Amino acid sequence: MTSQLKTLFLLAALSAIIILIGGMIGGRTGIIIAFAIALFMNVGSYWFSDSIVLRMYNARELAYEEAPMLHQIVEELAHNAGIPKPKVCVVPEQAPNAFATGRDPQHAVVAVTEGIVQVLSPRELRGVLAHEIAHIAHRDILIQSIAAVMGSTIVMLANMLQFASFFGGARDENGERTNPIAGILMAILAPIAATLIQMAISRSREYLADAGGAQYCNDPLALAGALDKLQRAAGQVPMQNGNPTTAEMFIVSPLFSGGMANLFSTHPPMEERIARLQQMAGQMPQPAASSSAPTSSNQFGSHHFGDR
């Protein structure tokens, strides 16, 4: 199953949970009320997602003069993806990472940490930026916002169902009382299922962004090498300002992962991501050694990032 089809299937699964719980509570009225509240709560965060996230991580926009080569690479990749050039920001973090945000390609931002330009080669950084450009081109912020609205709706409906079940059971569309024990179980299990589905959607979009980014930069091995370095660096230099609510935005999870934590990770296993990129590399011509990419990370202006 392709990542696009998998995303559609998972969104359909979230919709099915909403319909099931809504039916147990009282039919369409309960669904409409919960969905309206969730929509109101999440539309604001989606519409202002760029400013909210950038403020959360103290990011600032980079002027062209500070990192001309970085701007040139972003412009080239955006052209390859057929979208406007996004703003370029830097996050004052030594943990190497990057993310993209913005409600649509016309209001998009690509952000990199100070640490990433010190860890990656210019070629690898180009692969990372291509991954983030792919997120923008695929409108992943919108898709994840839709999933968040559905997830919030499920949580609200589950709370309503749990409350009703404690008082003898809710009434369905036919006016019949539902089994209170079944209602309580559904109220507990539905939010867990919704969370797992949202995580699966996030993982699916990461695979899709890896594939899209590899195509935009025409260099899958650059992104594969970057992911390997970033994964190893993540355990050595933890992000000081990591936030679980935004973990899915980063190219590698800024939170601790490993063992059982991988089951609840918003990111796919790194080994699988790298393997897929290596497989792509065997199916497409590699870029010539005389690539236009810079040969020194200093050309990105990284030594100026912390000066302002």
Side-chain angles (χ1 to χ4, degrees):
M1 183 183 296
T2 66
S3 294
Q4 292 282 30
L5 288 176
K6 185 176 181 181
T7 298
L8 290 175
F9 174 79
L10 292 169
L11 289 173
L14 286 175
S15 301
I17 295 175
I18 292 175
I19 294 171
L20 181 60
I21 302 179
M24 295 181 69
I25 292 176
R28 297 186 183 89
T29 302
I31 297 176
I32 292 173
I33 293 174
F35 188 82
I37 296 174
L39 187 64
F40 177 78
M41 291 172 57
N42 286 278
V43 163
S45 61
Y46 161 67
W47 196 262
F48 300 104
S49 59
D50 52 349
S51 58
I52 292 174
V53 175
L54 295 176
R55 193 179 305 115
M56 182 183 300
Y57 288 99
N58 298 316
R60 68 173 180 84
E61 186 172 356
L62 275 173
Y64 184 91
E65 295 75 18
E66 291 182 84
M69 197 61 69
L70 187 61
H71 276 273
Q72 290 171 18
I73 290 177
V74 170
E75 184 173 10
E76 173 210 344
L77 295 170
H79 174 76
N80 293 346
I83 63 172
K85 176 180 176 289
K87 295 179 181 178
V88 181
C89 291
V90 63
V91 176
E93 279 274 1
Q94 289 307 305
N97 224 318
F99 66 85
T101 186
R103 64 182 184 270
D104 54 41
Q106 287 71 37
H107 301 84
V109 179
V110 170
V112 297
T113 64
E114 293 178 358
I116 199 170
V117 295
Q118 301 169 11
V119 171
L120 301 184
S121 69
R123 177 191 173 201
E124 291 165 339
L125 183 57
R126 184 169 178 268
V128 167
L129 292 170
H131 171 98
E132 300 306 332
I133 292 293
H135 273 308
I136 297 170
H138 298 162
R139 296 181 179 268
D140 284 337
I141 303 300
L142 174 60
I143 292 171
Q144 290 171 349
S145 296
I146 293 172
V149 169
M150 291 184 171
S152 299
T153 302
I154 289 171
V155 171
M156 291 182 191
L157 287 171
N159 290 335
M160 293 167 61
L161 180 60
Q162 188 174 30
F163 178 81
S165 297
F166 279 126
F167 291 92
R171 293 185 181 273
D172 60 21
E173 289 189 6
N174 299 321
E176 298 178 0
R177 286 193 178 275
T178 58
N179 188 316
I181 296 178
I184 292 174
L185 287 176
M186 177 61 72
I188 294 173
L189 296 177
I192 296 175
T195 299
L196 293 176
I197 290 173
Q198 285 180 265
M199 290 179 177
I201 290 174
S202 177
R203 290 192 289 267
S204 178
R205 305 313 293 181
E206 286 301 314
Y207 281 133
L208 200 60
D210 284 345
Q215 291 179 340
Y216 296 151
C217 70
N218 194 33
D219 192 1
L221 293 181
L223 179 55
L227 291 176
D228 181 55
K229 282 187 180 181
L230 293 176
Q231 176 74 354
R232 287 186 277 113
Q236 300 172 357
V237 187
M239 183 165 284
Q240 300 299 314
N241 196 25
N243 190 313
T245 61
T246 58
E248 65 186 24
M249 297 179 59
F250 288 85
I251 189 168
V252 297
S253 177
L255 307 176
F256 172 78
S257 61
M260 290 295 293
N262 286 334
L263 295 176
F264 301 96
S265 174
T266 56
H267 291 66
M270 190 62 73
E271 296 77 12
E272 176 65 20
R273 294 175 69 181
I274 293 174
R276 291 190 181 199
L277 288 165
Q278 291 172 337
Q279 185 178 9
M280 282 188 67
Q283 300 172 352
M284 60 190 297
Q286 294 302 299
S290 58
S291 169
S292 60
T295 57
S296 170
S297 61
N298 285 337
Q299 294 186 47
F300 290 110
S302 59
H303 54 291
H304 295 306
F305 284 176
D307 295 346
R308 295 190 178 185

